[in-house]
Amino acid sequence: MDNNINDFSGDFPVLDQQVNDERLVYLDNAATAQRPRQVIKALTDFYEQDNANVHRGVHTLAERATKDYEDARQKVQAFINAPAAHDVIFTKGCTDSLNLIAATYGEQNIKPGDEIVISIMEHHSNLIPWQQLAKKKQAVLKYIELTADGELDLADAKHKITDKTKIVAVTHASNVMGTVTPLKELAAIAHQHGAVIVGDGAQAVPHMPVNVQDLDVDFYAFSGHKMMSPMGIGVLYGKADLLRAMPPYQYGGEMINDVHRDQSTWADIPFKFEAGTQNIAGAVGLGAAVDYLSHVGMKNIQRKEQSLVNYVLPRLIAIPDVQVYGPQLPQKHTGVISFNIKGLHPHDVATALDMDGVAVRAGHHCAQPLMEELGVTATARASFYFYNTKEDADQLIKAINETKEFFNIGTI
Ligand code: PMP
């Protein structure tokens, strides 16, 4: 496998530790990634040198903090190739971004009998806002189903998206099965029917080059913490004309133009959607994470993760009594791999792997309708990032074999 961009160990202090007397192998990156020193330093520098509230001060620190914050917006704009910086709205995270769209665009545009189309592999964050909106507006929520090998069924999408569809909201990459969806094709289909398309990029932006103009998505949401920035910062990209036509999400300071006793007017985008004091340090940290990822190169990151998947997936599938969910071909997979060991609850698997220093997640991964579809209540999930290594993959495989032995799986 390609180990060219392998040695990031010095950059991630948290990875340099033992857990249960074993080398820590962190394979829970789909839940949250680790932070490199460069991001931690950007946060410390901000708090030690520039900390102030943004936009409303004329003193030097306020001007520096404002510049840091707006620089971070420009870095994100370039990173996802948004047409302008004002198309990038800082939010608390992907969940917040998706709720914002449902509460503003959705509230304004969905009428009884309209259709909202999502997929069955959605994270609850890209499911419940639409489910609740549909209920409130007496609209119809439709699900795009999976193909037999766990991919989004494009033929079904063409069937489900109709002239009644007003919103299509689909993940760009599954947080359970590691499937990448044909978001660009879905955008074209949605637009043919006059609908807008929302992309959930939580599991895509950290792992592959994303170009929102090329995808032609109307909205695109993601979280900073899955791409190595602080918790509590995220992004909503939106096409400017749509954002301008939408009502505000929250009311208060920063988002206004004029306020009078009986009426108020709103600031232009992006500030209209950034009410109150924002997570300025978080945005600065996100900017530093974008710098780091751009320096490594998103194509290199994608290539490295692909080579890890090429290495580990066939070895995982080859273990008797291990079932991998979703596509079985490595080239159809991101670094997110869900599996179960026959006869064992995934929580027991995750606990046993932790004894060998391997951190994986177990549960429904906030995707219960998908779990129902897969016929399970939970899975174990190993999720790789570019700083993981072939040795990490070997330790996972070894720990799974040891877990099987410990529980006598396959021997009785
Ligand atoms: N969508 C997907 C596909 C995710 O994986 C996640 C996080 N697990 C989210 C949305 C929600 O992200 P957050 O919790 O950071 O808001």
Side-chain angles (χ1 to χ4, degrees):
M1 61 171 284
D2 172 14
N3 261 358
N4 279 346
I5 59 160
N6 218 7
D7 195 11
F8 297 97
S9 45
D11 285 349
F12 293 86
V14 76
L15 295 176
D16 183 21
Q17 62 174 296
Q18 301 231 320
V19 166
N20 296 319
D21 296 327
E22 300 281 350
R23 183 177 71 86
L24 168 64
V25 172
Y26 185 76
L27 297 178
D28 195 17
N29 294 289
T32 199
Q34 297 301 348
R35 293 15 166 192
R37 287 182 199 284
Q38 291 82 342
V39 168
I40 299 167
K41 182 172 182 307
L43 277 180
T44 317
D45 286 352
F46 176 77
Y47 280 124
E48 287 187 353
Q49 293 160 27
D50 294 350
N51 182 48
N53 214 331
V54 295
H55 297 143
R56 46 182 172 243
V58 289
H59 61 79
T60 303
L61 258 56
E63 280 178 359
R64 271 198 234 143
T66 302
K67 183 174 182 328
D68 294 343
Y69 185 66
E70 293 306 324
D71 282 355
R73 198 189 306 276
Q74 282 177 14
K75 286 175 189 182
V76 173
Q77 175 208 344
F79 192 62
I80 59 170
N81 195 33
H86 60 223
D87 307 332
V88 171
I89 292 155
F90 285 127
T91 63
K92 284 191 291 181
C94 192
T95 304
D96 193 32
S97 302
L98 294 163
N99 274 280
L100 188 163
I101 312 165
T104 58
Y105 185 89
E107 271 292 331
Q108 196 175 44
N109 291 287
I110 295 295
K111 308 268 174 315
D114 286 347
E115 294 176 355
I116 301 171
V117 177
I118 65 175
S119 90
I120 194 67
M121 69 171 96
E122 297 313 312
H123 187 282
H124 294 163
S125 296
N126 196 31
L127 190 158
I128 306 173
W130 308 118
Q131 181 193 64
Q132 295 305 307
L133 178 69
K135 261 189 210 279
K136 188 172 166 194
K137 298 281 183 171
Q138 292 161 329
V140 180
L141 183 66
K142 287 167 138 185
Y143 287 86
I144 304 168
E145 304 295 337
L146 304 177
T147 62
D149 61 354
E151 293 191 277
L152 183 137
D153 187 341
L154 199 54
D156 190 46
K158 286 179 185 156
H159 180 66
K160 297 274 165 66
I161 300 168
T162 71
D163 287 347
K164 287 188 176 170
T165 308
K166 294 290 177 297
I167 299 174
V168 178
V170 173
T171 193
H172 198 179
S174 162
N175 67 314
V176 175
M177 302 181 297
T179 340
V180 178
T181 63
L183 196 55
K184 188 173 170 170
E185 285 88 335
L186 289 169
I189 299 167
H191 292 152
Q192 275 161 22
H193 291 281
V196 296
I197 183 147
V198 179
D200 172 353
Q203 300 293 344
V205 175
H207 303 285
M208 61 186 77
V210 168
N211 180 335
V212 289
Q213 291 190 72
D214 180 55
L215 289 169
D216 198 19
V217 280
D218 298 290
F219 300 102
Y220 195 85
F222 55 100
S223 287
H225 69 94
K226 293 180 201 285
M227 52 190 287
M228 313 188 309
S229 68
M231 305 273 189
I233 186 79
V235 170
L236 171 63
Y237 158 77
K239 286 184 180 167
D241 55 336
L242 293 173
L243 291 175
R244 287 204 168 100
M246 279 151 54
Y249 181 36
Q250 290 184 323
Y251 300 98
E254 292 282 299
M255 51 74 66
I256 53 93
N257 203 2
D258 277 311
V259 181
H260 304 282
R261 278 182 181 236
D262 299 323
Q263 61 174 33
S264 304
T265 56
W266 316 132
D268 194 9
I269 57 171
F271 310 115
K272 182 171 80 175
F273 295 106
E274 294 181 0
T277 298
Q278 298 297 295
N279 183 356
I280 302 159
V284 170
L286 176 58
V290 164
D291 285 342
Y292 189 104
L293 291 169
S294 306
H295 180 71
V296 179
M298 291 312 295
K299 279 200 178 131
N300 289 333
I301 286 172
Q302 192 176 28
R303 218 175 290 133
K304 169 72 185 292
E305 289 177 25
Q306 187 64 60
S307 72
L308 283 166
V309 174
N310 292 349
Y311 180 79
V312 76
L313 190 63
R315 282 168 175 76
L316 202 54
I317 290 172
I319 302 174
D321 302 308
V322 168
Q323 180 171 7
V324 171
Y325 300 95
Q328 307 286 301
L329 291 174
Q331 62 269 30
K332 302 219 164 190
H333 242 279
T334 66
V336 176
I337 304 172
S338 278
F339 64 95
N340 273 329
I341 301 178
K342 203 169 133 194
L344 289 185
H345 193 280
H347 282 130
D348 294 332
V349 173
T351 306
L353 296 186
D354 186 57
M355 295 314 294
D356 284 327
V358 180
V360 301
R361 184 149 295 249
H364 54 60
H365 313 295
C366 302
Q368 284 185 338
L370 176 60
M371 293 289 124
E372 272 173 30
E373 193 59 28
L374 296 174
V376 292
T377 51
T379 70
R381 180 185 71 185
S383 52
F384 290 79
Y385 209 7
F386 65 96
Y387 44 63
N388 288 120
T389 60
K390 177 176 167 293
E391 289 70 35
D392 293 347
D394 287 337
Q395 199 162 323
L396 170 70
I397 300 292
K398 184 166 162 273
I400 290 175
N401 280 318
E402 284 173 4
T403 301
K404 280 186 61 191
E405 266 170 45
F406 181 80
F407 286 104
N408 286 326
I409 299 296
T411 56
I412 44 172

